Amino acid sequence: MISRLQPKLGRLLISEPFLMDPNFKRSVILITEHQEEGTVGFILNHSSTIKLKDIVPELNEADFPVYLGGPVETDTIHFIHRCPELMMDGQEVGKGIFWGGNFETLKVLINNNSIKGEDIKFFIGYSGWSAIQLEMEMKDNTWIASDEFHPDVVFSNHEENLWREVIVNLGPKYAHVSKFPQDPNLN
């Protein structure tokens, strides 16, 4: 596969179909930071069995799913949202999608049932690359960078189909890729 775009804040990184790294197999990653020094993002379609209430005791009613954002610093919690009018902060990463914000404010909003599950997504850990590392992976066609997606994709809870949906959305040139088996030996 040949990527049309380079990584950029707010774009998606979509793994090539035969990437066997278990951390990134059939991954869709939202890029939340991209600078000369490196890139940070969160895997949108790797769910876990953890709920927010399991890791934040003050939120004992918070039944929000927690996703595996990536293999870096898996002892940290991160979130993206699309409710800046409630959070009053966070960094806009594109198309009305915000990364982070004041966690104390977030806890109050969650306990007051002011935030809906379709407007926020939680992650443990993140995905990160040095500038040279991601550049080399892009040259090796490990990733497709795309900004051809609706913001709803980011907050989708249909993680099993998200990779396929995003690939198909790239158009006819890529749609056939969505049908490739996960294991090329099964071809």
Side-chain angles (χ1 to χ4, degrees):
M1 284 188 259
I2 299 174
S3 177
R4 294 180 270 181
L5 302 172
Q6 291 301 306
K8 180 181 170 186
L9 180 71
R11 286 190 174 151
L12 297 180
L13 283 180
I14 307 153
S15 67
E16 64 92 6
F18 301 125
L19 180 62
M20 299 309 281
D21 180 335
N23 293 309
F24 298 111
K25 189 174 189 176
R26 301 265 167 139
S27 291
V28 177
I29 298 173
L30 175 67
I31 298 173
T32 55
E33 186 176 316
H34 183 69
Q35 300 176 2
E36 277 187 40
E37 303 83 39
T39 302
V40 172
F42 298 97
I43 302 172
L44 300 173
N45 61 328
H46 287 192
S47 62
S48 74
T49 57
I50 301 169
K51 300 288 186 189
L52 187 61
K53 65 183 177 184
D54 299 331
I55 53 178
V56 183
E58 309 94 297
L59 300 174
N60 59 359
E61 299 295 318
D63 214 22
F64 296 94
V66 177
Y67 289 78
L68 305 173
V72 182
E73 294 188 20
T74 56
D75 59 345
T76 59
I77 301 172
H78 305 270
F79 62 98
I80 55 174
H81 63 90
R82 57 179 168 188
C83 43
E85 69 285 350
L86 296 174
M87 287 294 301
M88 305 302 225
D89 61 358
Q91 176 189 351
E92 186 167 20
V93 295
K95 297 183 182 182
I97 302 166
F98 294 78
W99 172 30
N102 185 297
F103 201 73
E104 294 305 314
T105 300
L106 177 62
K107 289 192 293 189
V108 170
L109 292 168
I110 289 172
N111 281 330
N112 290 337
N113 295 314
S114 299
I115 292 187
K116 297 178 178 123
E118 61 266 13
D119 293 328
I120 195 161
K121 204 167 203 177
F122 293 92
F123 305 91
I124 50 175
Y126 64 90
S127 299
W129 297 264
S130 70
I132 294 172
Q133 179 185 10
L134 185 55
E135 181 181 308
M136 295 305 295
E137 290 181 16
M138 294 297 292
K139 284 181 182 177
D140 290 341
N141 295 317
T142 301
W143 302 101
I144 299 170
S146 173
D147 55 9
E148 298 176 27
F149 66 95
H150 189 278
D152 287 348
V153 164
V154 172
F155 298 95
S156 170
N157 60 1
H158 302 295
E159 57 270 358
E160 301 86 30
N161 297 319
L162 187 61
W163 181 86
R164 178 171 281 124
E165 178 184 328
V166 171
I167 289 284
V168 168
N169 193 45
L170 292 174
K173 181 178 177 182
Y174 292 93
H176 71 285
V177 171
S178 71
K179 294 178 172 64
F180 287 0
Q182 287 193 30
D183 184 345
N185 294 322
L186 298 177
N187 213 2

